[in-house]
Amino acid sequence: MAIVEAQNLVKKFGDFEAVKGISFAVEEGEVFGLLGPNGAGKTTTISMLTGLFPPTSGTAMINGYDIQKDPLQAKQICGLVPQDLALYPTLSARANLEFFGRVYGLSGKKLKENVEDILRVVSLTDRADQAIEKYSGGMKRRVNIAAGLVHQPRLLFLDEPTVGVDPQSRNYIFESVQRLNRERGMTIIYTSHYMEEVELLCNRVAIVDQGKLIALDTIKNLVGMLGGGVLRIGLKQADAVLLDALSQLPAVQNASVLQTVTMTPPEQKETTIQVAQPVTVKVETRNSQQALIQVINYLEEQNQTLLSLDILENNLESVFLHLTGKQLRE
Amino acid sequence: MKILSIVWKDIRIFFKEPGYLIYLVVLPLVFIQLFTTLFSASVGSATSSEKIRLVVVNQDPDGALAQEFVRKLEEIGTLEVLPTTLDEAEADYKDTRITRYLTIPADFTKKIEAGQPAEVTFKALDSLSLTIQSMKMIIEGVGNSLQLERNILDSLTQFSEMQSSAPAELQIYDVDVLTRQAQSQFKASDERPLVAVKLEYPQAVTVAPEDDFSMVQFSVPGFTVLFAFLVAQASARSIYDEKKTGSFRRLLAAPLSKLQLLSGKLLPNLFIVLFQILIIFVTSIILLPLTGVGRLSLGEHPGALLAISFCVALCSTSLGILIAAIARTEAQIGGVSALFLWLMGFLGGTMVPLDIMNSPMLTGISRFIPHSYAVNAYKDVLIRGADLNAVLPSLGILIGFSLIFFLIGLWRFDFN
Ligand SMILES: Nc1ncnc2c1ncn2[C@@H]1O[C@H](COP(=O)(O)OP(=O)(O)OP(=O)(O)O)[C@@H](O)[C@H]1O
Ligand SMILES: [Mg+2]
């Protein structure tokens, strides 16, 4: 049985439909990614799954319980780490964690143990009695995450936990997510608009855009769907004959001239040998390695000089680009 | 249990914020002190050096003991005795030109000399004010001393008679016998007073305080109510802050029913108001006298005060949820609602008593403001000596207001 089942979730805010019928299921033990640009409806979807507000239509089942009909049972196994810092700044980390533990029904020795345990996990035992407002940004983030974990939930919702986080804390969060999943078997639903985070952490990913689910699969399958990446080659000149010949190569899908190099998503892995670029030809491949050899061989035969070469491997970014015609991040 | 942890958390947060403590606990005390001083000054109150006026009707003008009684009243030094006739006193009292007078009956001297108790009548409109209470004690004191002297005089006369008729060898003053005799007289004077003071007062009349009236009894109820209702803003803000920082989402995601969540957010308000009232009252009793503006007297029915305070806390709390439910912006929750609460306080007569303003329109408006019922209930108990039964109607109305605020608040409350 799936631990999370979203069935045709719709959420309207007045006339505006923020989520337009999203369905998916998450199995216990998965790290499930919810990827989408700003305003895609990720937080809204999570809010419906955690019972913050009812969906306009559709149902959300958590561990077999309908979040609308049996909210207390469903909520008991969930932990939520909201996108923004959701803590009491004048209270200490320990007081915050104890409070959130109590709200989930913990008390006495169990509460103490869990709080000490989670303080150790986020390495804040030393400063646990200081008011949170005196913490650094990264430390606040860690407490924010810890607060969703005190009651040791089976299912954790992490809403963009790395927004505005320094690289060190970010790595730290990644490690914690992996550890919680591996060592405690925690199911994690992770939303982000950073595709590399999702690529790194998640088994499966749902891509949402404008309130709709546009893809749902393992990362391997999603990237595989696009084929083998793109080569960008700089040439002194290129004519229709050349492009046609390139397109005919076995590992090449299509070759076309790029007028200007505008769409270089910063996150794509690039290997650049830049000389000059009178013409840039974009070669879409079935397999970038084979295509590269074939293209170079062909150019040598033709006595063409290679001025520059970029190899763009496919990733979720290109999947998103392919599916929506726009980039994940503005 | 879960509710209590929310309550406890909110109370901790409240006490971490020194601004709130100053605003809600210290400020009312400052206001009470200031207004009491100002009001007393403007009405021309007796400061400790001035005398309290007492109109005395002596119907036994030729009686030696009645004369002595009046003389002793003057000798005490705190009273300015103004002799007058019964007709005049009664007329003035009826028109509230005076709010109290003392009558000495015509058979005063005769009765005491015959060893029978005599009764003086002290009529007062503001029967439970500190002034009246202390005046009654002064008059009783004078009565006692008169009687004590009378008794000792009797004993000594008795002694001299005994001595003159005794054999020579026994004609010495036996100190032991004398002391024993005096002591028994002291005891007798305590047990059956020869001069009883009967305090007469009408049930519940509205009366403008006379010059030496203790203004503390007025300013404490007013400012207590004003500031108790200002707590509503603090609890509305607490809800607003939780929503803004998102900790409210955490609470919504937790296995809590909405009722638990709301009660957890509202109960702190109740406790804070009760705490605030307690501090204001205790300080008004203990510390206020040190600043020279008189001491709060709780009157004879502190239980009724407790009941009123509870209803005030309830009403303030439900007003808090109403504000939280309808205020949408930071400005509304902050400045606007504060302004609104202060205005309500003014119209409800918490700052200036409505009777003084004497405006039918303001009195009409005040009927729609819970503050006015709360202030009146407190004043009824503190000034007019009303008991719980007498203030029940006001309490009922306060609970009614609470219910209305709560239901509208619940209806408009946005859990997202
Ligand atoms: N309470 C609300 N009232 C009205 N509109 C809302 C509300 N909450 C969200 N929206 C709208 O719904 C859409 C989806 O918002 P949501 O917060 O779910 O996006 P998101 O995918 O989490 O974005 P981000 O990555 O920026 O956090 C947005 O256009 C947003 O403006
Ligand atoms: Mg979001």
Side-chain angles (χ1 to χ4, degrees), chain A residues 50-317:
Chain A
T50 48
L52 301 193
F53 46 69
T56 309
S57 67
T59 53
M61 307 288 285
I62 302 290
N63 198 30
Y65 292 107
D66 187 325
I67 190 91
Q68 286 310 114
K69 296 192 186 116
D70 302 300
L72 300 191
Q73 284 92 332
K75 285 173 177 180
Q76 187 65 41
I77 67 153
C78 297
L80 171 65
V81 177
Q83 186 165 357
D84 311 306
L85 284 178
L87 302 162
Y88 304 104
T90 52
L91 299 183
S92 68
R94 183 173 274 119
N96 268 280
L97 297 178
E98 280 177 357
F99 170 68
F100 287 114
R102 281 202 195 93
V103 163
Y104 280 87
L106 294 182
S107 62
K109 205 168 151 238
K110 177 79 178 145
L111 175 66
K112 278 228 143 54
E113 279 172 9
N114 281 15
V115 168
E116 293 314 314
D117 176 55
I118 199 70
L119 280 172
R120 235 175 291 120
V121 171
V122 294
S123 321
L124 284 172
T125 312
D126 292 346
R127 313 220 9 207
D129 291 311
Q130 202 176 15
I132 287 190
E133 57 192 354
K134 305 222 168 71
Y135 282 15
S136 73
M139 288 164 71
K140 285 181 192 159
R141 284 268 151 206
R142 282 189 260 159
V143 186
N144 195 42
I145 292 176
L149 289 168
V150 206
H151 62 292
Q152 301 182 332
R154 273 166 64 198
L155 172 62
L156 181 68
F157 292 87
L158 279 170
D159 195 0
E160 310 207 25
T162 56
V163 171
V165 167
D166 58 285
Q168 187 197 340
S169 296
R170 186 188 257 221
N171 284 337
Y172 181 85
I173 290 168
F174 293 162
E175 275 168 36
S176 311
V177 167
Q178 285 168 329
R179 211 150 11 95
L180 288 167
N181 176 248
R182 223 180 312 117
E183 293 169 13
R184 305 195 179 181
M186 200 178 279
T187 311
I188 293 165
I189 295 190
Y190 189 103
T191 86
S192 179
H193 58 255
Y194 293 115
M195 66 90 209
E196 68 272 47
E197 286 185 2
V198 173
E199 255 174 359
L200 177 75
L201 297 170
C202 303
N203 319 110
R204 286 200 307 145
V205 54
I207 301 180
V208 280
D209 185 40
Q210 296 182 340
K212 278 195 259 186
L213 187 69
I214 54 174
L216 171 62
D217 212 330
T218 61
I219 290 166
K220 194 161 161 264
N221 289 349
L222 284 175
V223 174
M225 172 179 90
L226 286 191
V230 173
L231 307 180
R232 279 195 214 153
I233 50 180
L235 300 173
K236 275 193 190 125
Q237 81 252 359
D239 51 19
V241 181
L242 176 86
L243 292 177
D244 202 40
L246 286 176
S247 300
Q248 299 301 317
L249 294 171
V252 173
Q253 258 178 345
N254 186 32
S256 56
V257 172
L258 272 180
Q259 294 310 325
T260 41
V261 188
T262 48
M263 304 237 288
T264 308
E267 301 306 323
Q268 288 188 327
K269 298 163 193 154
E270 300 178 22
T271 24
T272 306
I273 314 156
Q274 199 81 33
V275 184
Q277 41 169 212
V279 189
T280 304
V281 175
K282 177 182 162 198
V283 182
E284 290 170 59
T285 73
R286 296 192 171 84
N287 176 315
S288 50
Q289 305 302 322
Q290 289 169 15
L292 180 59
I293 296 166
Q294 288 163 9
V295 167
I296 289 174
N297 283 340
Y298 176 77
L299 291 176
E300 267 176 6
E301 280 169 25
Q302 300 297 311
N303 268 331
Q304 275 269 17
T305 323
L306 195 59
L307 299 179
S308 71
L309 172 64
D310 294 343
I311 305 169
L312 306 179
E313 290 295 350
N314 272 322
N315 53 27
L316 285 177
E317 187 78 49

Side-chain angles (χ1 to χ4, degrees), chain A residues 13 16 18 36-45 83 159-160 193:
Chain A
F13 294 111
F16 177 70
N38 288 133
K42 303 181 295 290
T43 303
T44 308
T45 304
Q83 186 165 357
D159 195 0
E160 310 207 25
H193 58 255

Side-chain angles (χ1 to χ4, degrees), chain B residues 107-119 192-196:
Chain B
D107 54 0
F108 186 81
T109 307
K110 213 187 293 168
K111 272 196 162 171
I112 294 182
E113 273 175 349
Q116 287 168 359
E119 188 177 68
R192 37 174 191 87
L194 275 182
V195 182

